[in-house]
Every structure is written in structure tokens, then in C-alpha cells.
Amino acid sequence: MLRYAMIGGGPGAFVGQVHRRALALNGQARLVAGCFSRDLEKSRVLGAELGLDGDRVYATPEELARLEAGDIDFAVVVTSNEAHYPNVKACLRSGINVMCDKPFTHTPAQARELVDLARERRLVLGVTYTYAGYPMVRQMREMIARGDVGEIRFVNCEYPQGWLAEPVETTGHIQASWRADPERGGGTLSLGDVGSHIEYLVPHVTGLTLTRLAARLDSLVEGRVLDDNGTILTEYDTGARGLYWYSQAATGAVNGLRLRVFGDQGGLEWFQEDPDHLRYTPLNEPARIITRGAPDLLPGAMAYSHTPAGHPEGWLLAFANIYQSFCATLAMGAAVDFPTGEDGLRGVEFIEACLESSRNGTAWVEVGAMGGA
Ligand SMILES: NC(=O)c1ccc[n+]([C@@H]2O[C@H](COP(=O)([O-])OP(=O)(O)OC[C@H]3O[C@@H](n4cnc5c(N)ncnc54)[C@H](O)[C@@H]3O)[C@@H](O)[C@H]2O)c1
């Protein structure tokens, strides 16, 4: 049983409790310490609820990193975005492995520094791009790798949400307030929040490398400073092309992440709100629905599938699957099979490239050529 500490995820926080539940589902790691909030009293209350020793609840992440080094196997950083960089850095400097949520950092330079630090100290650094943890995303990836769609011509990925269709950040909404604040959220609102998932998912599933993009970032809700919607044209190393759309101002949308891949021999489609099914249409043949839990699922998908077909799995188990791989690497030295710090860095570079393109009238930007501030 590994031992971990959590930074962020305090009372009323959204995703910290999801990480805790996912880790508990796997039974691979036990929460032993935390700095859940900037407010020590709030941290203490939550620590007591979670059954932690009072002296392992800390006032600052730096104190946690200093005093827990050697007593924990990893730290989970689930704070608002502006606190990722200093907290991951404090942990790595103390020799602690880290899993951080996305977007990894505010700038590529920060992300690069953390990746280098982890490499120097031989520490494991992961980023929770959750959707890589779905069994049917793995199925899609393995089908593409073995040639089921032939040569990929076009990729279409969209992630519309509607919870920011009104300016809720002006009403004291906890999660919206910091996300919409340029100092805390970063240079973007929705690109970092949901567009970052698209950026990770497409190359992960298709094996394509993004080479160029042209982005238009919009603020659809009046008075909003940062983007809440965006469209991005993409080109890849093979000559394949793509189109991404993300939004948090798409009224009525919930978590509509959809990935479609079109090759010269077939097409594949996966929709996050129906995650156990994958639609596969070979060229000139009727569409087939592939179901999670079916006996002939490909090995990677099978390894992430936990309940029989027809008993739905979902988002929580996708998080748990990312941790399943992360913990297997920490405990047994298993090959890295989860999104890493390098992936986090690439995500931040993508955000920079989109911002540059959008500022320059949706000009094409070479992704590899991005300097990174
Ligand atoms: N992977 C996913 O699918 C997914 C989903 C939701 C959120 N996220 C990411 O998770 C992170 C948290 O998002 P959220 O919606 O849970 O935010 P939130 O505002 O609900 O929670 C953030 C928590 O961090 C704490 N915190 C902030 N700074 C801190 C510091 N310096 N020390 C200790 N605690 C601190 C806050 O008190 C709060 O408890 C964000 O980076 C977000 O992008 C990822």
C-alpha cells in the first residue's frame, strides 16, 4: 500500500474528492497527509473527517513537502491552476513523486523546469488527463495502431460544456471565480480547462504529431475577459488535418467530449457521455458498436475494464485507471503508461501557440517552433 499526501482539494473543492475516491477504489494508496486549503483551520477540519493524524495536516504545501519527504510515496496537486507550479516544484525539490492536475502550469518555461527537475531527481511526474483512462479510448487507440481505419485523413474533436453560459464568476461561484481570473486561471479560461483535454487526447489516440495550428479564441459571454469558446484548425506530421472545438458557454451542453477519426479504410467515434461504446465503421460496411466488457476487447482496454458489459463504468473509474498505472510504476517499476510531465509541457505549449495564433488574427503557428515564454 503506497502512502500519499494531497495539496488542494479542501472543503467545497470540486476535483480533489474525485482523486481521493479514485485512489480509494484502486486500493493501491492511502491518504496520510494533506494541505487541503490555504486556510489551516479548513484543512484541519477536512483532515479530521478523512481520519488523518492532526500533526500531518499542514499550513503550507512547502511545510508538507519538507516534513513528509521520506514518509510518503507521492503527492497529488489539485489546487487552482496558479498554485500547480510552486507546489509541484516544492514536492520535487524534496524528492517527492507528483501527480498534478491539468493544465500543468501557466507557462511552458515553468513546465519545462518541472520536467527537468523530475528527470534530474529521477522522480515520477504525472498529469491527470482523465480521458486517457477510459477503456474505450484505449480500444480506439489500439484499433488505430493496428490499422483498422487505415491512414488517418481527418480528426474532429469537440468538448462543449454549458456551465459558464452565464457570467457566474461574478456571483462568487468558487470554481468559476479563479478560472476566469487571468492571474489565477492562466492566460485562458476554457482552452486550459477543457481544450487541454482535446490537445492530449488526439495525439494519444491517433499517434499523430501536431505540427501547425490556427486558433480563434472567443469570449461569447459579455464582460468576460478570457476565452469561453474556441475553434482550432490543426495539421499533423503525416499530412492529416483536424478541427477542434471547445466551449464552456455552449448552453445546454454538459460534458460533450466527442472524438471522431476518419481514415481511408474506416472511421471511429467515441462520446464521453456514452463511454462504454465505440462506433466503428469500416469502409463500405455497416457501422458496428463495440461494447466495453465484450470478451474480444483489445488488451489495453481489457486491463482498464472492471465491470461486466452492461454495468456502466465512467469518469471516476477513468481517474482510477490513470492512478492504477501511476501506482504500478511507483510500486513495481511498471512501464510508464499514464500522462506524464512531458505531456503536461506539450499541453502548455499548445495553449501558448493557440493564444499567439488568436492574437494574430488566427494566423498559422508552427507548434514545434514555439519559443515558450
Ligand atoms: N482532470 C480533470 O478532468 C479535472 C476536472 C476538474 C478540475 N481539474 C483541475 O483540477 C484543479 C482544481 O480544480 P477544482 O475545480 O477542484 O478547483 P476548486 O477551486 O474546487 O479547488 C481548489 C482547491 O485548492 C485549494 N488551494 C488553492 N491554493 C492552494 C494552496 N496554495 N495550498 C493549498 N490548497 C490550495 C483551495 O482551497 C481548494 O480547496 C484545476 O487545476 C483544474 O483545472 C481537472
Side-chain angles (χ1 to χ4, degrees), residues 7-10 12-16 35-38 61 78-81 83-84 87 101-103 128 130 174-175 178-179 193 197 315 319:
I7 299 174
F14 170 47
V15 92
C35 171
F36 303 108
S37 164
R38 287 197 194 87
V78 278
T79 62
S80 38
N81 295 348
H84 290 180
N87 293 332
D101 220 316
K102 42 51 59 181
T128 36
T130 320
I174 296 176
Q175 284 75 27
W178 67 257
R179 280 174 168 82
D193 212 33
H197 285 297
W315 195 58
F319 263 105

Side-chain angles (χ1 to χ4, degrees), residues 13-95:
F14 170 47
V15 92
Q17 49 91 21
V18 178
H19 285 247
R20 292 194 293 269
R21 280 166 208 248
L23 279 155
L25 269 173
N26 286 342
Q28 291 164 298
R30 189 163 56 89
L31 179 70
V32 295
C35 171
F36 303 108
S37 164
R38 287 197 194 87
D39 180 331
L40 179 58
E41 210 33 57
K42 286 187 181 166
S43 270
R44 282 197 173 128
V45 170
L46 183 61
E49 277 172 23
L50 295 170
L52 299 189
D53 288 345
D55 58 359
R56 297 187 81 177
V57 175
Y58 298 92
T60 67
E62 292 74 19
E63 192 186 4
L64 180 151
R66 192 160 38 82
L67 296 175
E68 287 292 337
D71 290 327
I72 55 172
D73 298 289
F74 65 99
V76 172
V77 175
V78 278
T79 62
S80 38
N81 295 348
E82 86 286 357
H84 290 180
Y85 166 71
N87 293 332
V88 173
K89 188 169 164 177
C91 291
L92 294 175
R93 276 188 159 166
S94 295

Side-chain angles (χ1 to χ4, degrees), residues 82 184 298:
E82 86 286 357
R184 300 192 63 201
L298 293 171

Side-chain angles (χ1 to χ4, degrees), residues 137-138 140-146 149-152 155 198-211 235-240 244 259 261 268 346:
V137 167
R138 291 212 146 198
M140 197 172 186
R141 185 178 191 219
E142 292 186 24
M143 287 177 71
I144 290 170
R146 74 175 183 187
V149 301
E151 178 143 355
I152 295 172
V155 182
I198 296 177
E199 182 282 326
Y200 177 73
L201 198 59
V202 170
H204 173 73
V205 169
T206 61
L208 298 172
T209 300
L210 182 66
T211 53
E235 291 182 9
Y236 306 90
D237 53 342
T238 60
Y244 302 169
L259 174 58
V261 178
L268 277 165
R346 203 190 55 224

